[in-house]
Amino acid sequence: MSNNSKNNGTNHNRRVKKPTDRYRSPNSKGRASTEDERLLRRPTQPLFHPHEVPSQEHIKQEEHALERAMHFDFTITDPWRVFRIMSEFVEGFDALAHIPPSVAIFGSARTKPNDPSYAAAIKTAELLARAGFGIITGGGPGVMEAANKGAQQGDNVSIGCNIELPFEQSPNPYLDLSLDFCYFFVRKTMFIKYSNAFIIFPGGFGTMDELFEALTLIQTQKVSNFPVILYDSQYWGGLIDWINNTMLKKGNISEADAALLRVSDDPEEICKLVCDAYHESYLQERENPKLHREKSIR
């Protein structure tokens, strides 16, 4: 038997370690951990009662903490991640700085092409595109795909801001500009900074996250007021009732806060609401540009 045959036989009996294995988290159950996970994960440490006398072992660990840190690989620590985060902001700002006024459209990635929401998202995006707005989505399938398709049918720029997930989410085929992000908070900043309205189609937790992120920033005057419109009154009816009959009645929000949400089942009405709000904002900025800059991150 040749040496090559022996080597081949040996290789068959032991697992060949792939280069990507070294970057897999032991807690990820066979899948690669995302950068967001690595950022937000912190090692579990033993708990000590405030009046408990620490053990000698614990004291020794604290005494040698600095020494261990000096020999630790800096590139996998949180300070190093600041540079990765900064690079995502720089790349995102650089790519989106010159896009036209745009509208962000959100909704479920699980929406199928035969769902009425899919057709409505295409129509809404096409109308907005023909009115002069670019369309920004999360870049994935479902409602996002429909909105990007509508943007191209309306002959305006179609933008996708995709996110690294534990499960693969491929960019949809209707993107003129596709960006990839590791960090949710960087990606959400791009939506807020470069959108003049949020259109929210039926969706799940991710859609709700984007919705309430926008409402919180408007409520706290971190950004200028811009339209937040929910499509499909039947889908969102329970949420609207809860906001008005529970949150508002309990005094946890004001009537002005509750009025930030608008609901429409008509793509043409949505387009008109966005256009009217944009023109009003444009006129206000021309009359008092300094005040507008102070009230908006855009």
Side-chain angles (χ1 to χ4, degrees), residues 66-141:
L66 179 59
E67 181 182 349
R68 291 198 310 274
M70 294 296 291
H71 293 87
F72 196 69
D73 184 358
F74 180 72
T75 62
I76 63 172
T77 62
D78 289 340
W80 182 257
R81 287 195 172 93
V82 171
F83 294 100
R84 298 179 188 168
I85 294 167
M86 183 172 64
S87 71
E88 284 207 352
F89 275 116
V90 171
E91 290 172 9
F93 292 154
D94 184 57
L96 300 177
H98 302 292
I99 64 172
S102 298
V103 174
I105 296 181
F106 302 99
S108 177
R110 304 178 185 185
T111 301
K112 304 300 181 185
N114 59 356
D115 190 303
S117 292
Y118 190 96
I122 294 176
K123 182 64 174 178
T124 302
E126 183 177 356
L127 289 171
L128 288 165
R130 294 195 185 283
F133 293 98
I135 301 298
I136 306 176
T137 77

Side-chain angles (χ1 to χ4, degrees), residues 12 43 52 68 88 110 138 185 227 249 254 260 263 267 295:
H12 285 305
E52 181 181 349
R68 291 198 310 274
E88 284 207 352
R110 304 178 185 185
F185 58 88
K249 284 187 176 180
S254 68
L260 292 174
V263 184
K295 295 180 64 177

Side-chain angles (χ1 to χ4, degrees), residues 71 77 79 93 104 110 125 194 201 223 229 232 258:
H71 293 87
T77 62
F93 292 154
R110 304 178 185 185
Y194 293 104
F201 280 77
V223 299
I229 305 170
D232 192 342

Side-chain angles (χ1 to χ4, degrees), residues 192-209:
I192 289 288
K193 182 171 177 63
Y194 293 104
S195 299
N196 296 96
F198 272 22
I199 314 299
I200 314 291
F201 280 77
F205 288 162
T207 303
M208 296 286 282
D209 180 44

Side-chain angles (χ1 to χ4, degrees), residues 246-259:
T246 301
M247 293 181 75
L248 181 58
K249 284 187 176 180
K250 282 283 187 179
N252 292 326
I253 60 171
S254 68
E255 291 186 3
D257 296 334

Side-chain angles (χ1 to χ4, degrees), residues 145-211:
E145 176 183 289
N148 289 128
K149 182 177 181 179
Q152 290 191 343
Q153 290 181 180
D155 295 323
N156 215 319
V157 63
S158 174
I159 302 160
C161 296
N162 219 316
I163 185 71
E164 179 191 24
L165 294 173
F167 45 90
E168 184 178 2
Q169 177 177 297
S170 300
N172 68 64
Y174 301 103
L175 299 174
D176 301 315
L177 177 59
S178 180
L179 304 175
D180 294 315
F181 295 91
C182 293
Y183 300 99
F184 268 109
F185 58 88
V186 178
R187 178 183 184 239
K188 287 198 289 187
T189 299
M190 301 302 151
F191 286 134
I192 289 288
K193 182 171 177 63
Y194 293 104
S195 299
N196 296 96
F198 272 22
I199 314 299
I200 314 291
F201 280 77
F205 288 162
T207 303
M208 296 286 282
D209 180 44
E210 301 292 354
L211 167 61

